[in-house]
Amino acid sequence: MNTLSTKTYRDKYRLANLDKLLRQALVSEKVCNVDRSPSKTIQNPYGSQPTTTVQALAGTYTVGAYTTTDDTLTVADEFICAEHVFDFEQSLSNFDLFANRADEQAFSVAAKIDRFVLNNLCEDATGTYTTPVGGFTTASNLPVIISNLLSKVAGYAETYKGLFLVIENTDLPGIIQAAATSGFSFADSALNNGFVTQYMGVDIYVVRASTFADETLGTKTYTNSGHRVFGVKGLSTYAAPRGVQFEEKSVSLKTGKEVVTYGYIGCKTWATISDLIIDITLA
């Protein structure tokens, strides 16, 4: 049911950027590898690790056995946002309602995908860490937390891809205070696109409060309230076959158009590198 206000119709009104809803930053594509091929399933089988023996010169050896394990990402969830714009609404409105709804829907779907992917990172992570009491909101905890997280992934070749930490906006006070007392300066664009700063070589991204939550999204159920995530960039994969799509279609017995935005998403942290993604529990 549409609920347009009378001010939406022809009046001294213009749709401007400042009139739009505040939008949360999207970070999933900055920390994951995105696969937009049409594949529903991505296979990534892996073999067991061989053992190297060091022995005195002998010229003989023992043949070891190995096993292979299937590891698969399957796209099992769809994200859909649909609305109907009547012809009289579009005709009498002083701005392009179709363009506006398409824009708002695209962001709504993207934001939900971001939430889905970040919670999947927490669920699939096999690395774990519990912060000191006070978590990120206590400034003195930040160097302790970051140094401990770095020790979890140090020594692996994959770390050259870069490191990330995703926090919620309620964690920012301690981080900003710690950075300020350490001599860091923040530009006016510090929070653009969710990027806060780099601390000890870790890129820190901010999402809105309650992004990490206890909830069910599609086929996935999460228990991530009070959690955050850290890890190596580009190791986890989220599949988005053909990306997010948009349709306008006529509907019988209704004027105007139905506007639909949708996409199909799957997310996976591969078993062989899951210890390079760290599920952080706030204390």
Side-chain angles (χ1 to χ4, degrees):
M1 189 68 180
N2 298 343
T3 56
L4 291 178
S5 69
T6 56
K7 288 295 181 184
T8 304
Y9 300 129
R10 293 195 180 277
D11 199 347
K12 293 180 180 178
Y13 177 91
R14 294 292 183 272
L15 183 67
N17 287 334
L18 292 178
D19 294 319
K20 293 184 178 180
L21 295 176
L22 290 174
R23 291 183 168 180
Q24 66 190 61
L26 304 178
V27 301
S28 293
E29 295 204 15
K30 299 177 180 67
V31 301
C32 294
N33 174 42
V34 185
D35 187 310
R36 290 193 173 87
S37 69
S39 302
K40 180 182 187 297
T41 301
I42 300 174
Q43 303 284 354
N44 187 30
Y46 60 93
S48 57
Q49 292 295 310
T51 300
T52 298
T53 300
V54 180
Q55 63 184 30
L57 292 173
T60 60
Y61 55 86
T62 300
V63 177
Y66 71 91
T67 59
T68 58
T69 303
D70 290 335
D71 200 7
T72 304
L73 186 165
T74 301
V75 176
D77 296 278
E78 60 182 357
F79 295 67
I80 301 177
C81 185
E83 296 170 315
H84 189 95
V85 180
F86 289 100
D87 182 71
F88 72 87
E89 295 174 330
Q90 172 67 8
S91 299
L92 298 178
S93 177
N94 222 13
F95 60 93
D96 190 340
L97 265 179
F98 284 113
N100 170 255
R101 297 327 300 163
D103 181 61
E104 294 294 343
Q105 285 185 13
F107 178 78
S108 176
V109 171
K112 190 68 74 171
I113 291 173
D114 208 51
R115 187 183 186 97
F116 179 84
V117 170
L118 292 176
N119 277 282
N120 268 280
L121 290 181
C122 275
E123 291 294 325
D124 290 347
T126 57
T128 60
Y129 175 70
T130 300
T131 70
V133 175
F136 293 100
T137 59
T138 301
S140 59
N141 284 347
L142 185 61
V144 176
I145 293 172
I146 298 296
S147 58
N148 284 327
L149 290 173
L150 287 173
S151 72
K152 298 278 188 179
V153 299
Y156 286 103
E158 288 86 349
T159 55
Y160 79 91
K161 296 180 179 180
L163 303 173
F164 71 89
L165 169 65
V166 183
I167 60 172
E168 293 185 354
N169 61 291
T170 52
D171 300 316
L172 268 179
I175 291 178
I176 292 176
Q177 292 169 33
T181 56
S182 300
F184 286 80
S185 61
F186 283 78
D188 290 338
S189 61
L191 294 180
N192 281 356
N193 299 318
F195 182 65
V196 178
T197 186
Q198 188 179 82
Y199 192 92
M200 293 184 178
V202 179
D203 291 341
I204 302 176
Y205 297 92
V206 180
V207 294
R208 296 299 299 170
S210 300
T211 294
F212 297 98
D214 296 341
E215 65 178 335
T216 297
L217 293 175
T219 62
K220 304 286 189 178
T221 298
Y222 309 113
T223 54
N224 292 326
S225 180
H227 289 237
R228 306 293 184 262
V229 68
F230 165 85
V232 180
K233 290 184 176 182
L235 298 187
S236 300
T237 299
Y238 88 75
R242 297 185 298 167
V244 175
Q245 301 177 71
F246 171 77
E247 292 182 0
E248 283 186 17
K249 58 183 72 175
S250 298
V251 180
S252 178
L253 303 180
K254 291 185 179 180
T255 63
K257 299 284 186 179
E258 190 172 271
V259 186
V260 185
T261 304
Y262 60 94
Y264 313 109
I265 301 296
C267 185
K268 179 81 172 182
T269 298
W270 304 103
T272 51
I273 48 82
S274 61
D275 55 347
L276 293 179
I277 306 297
I278 312 298
D279 180 8
I280 303 170
T281 301
L282 301 180

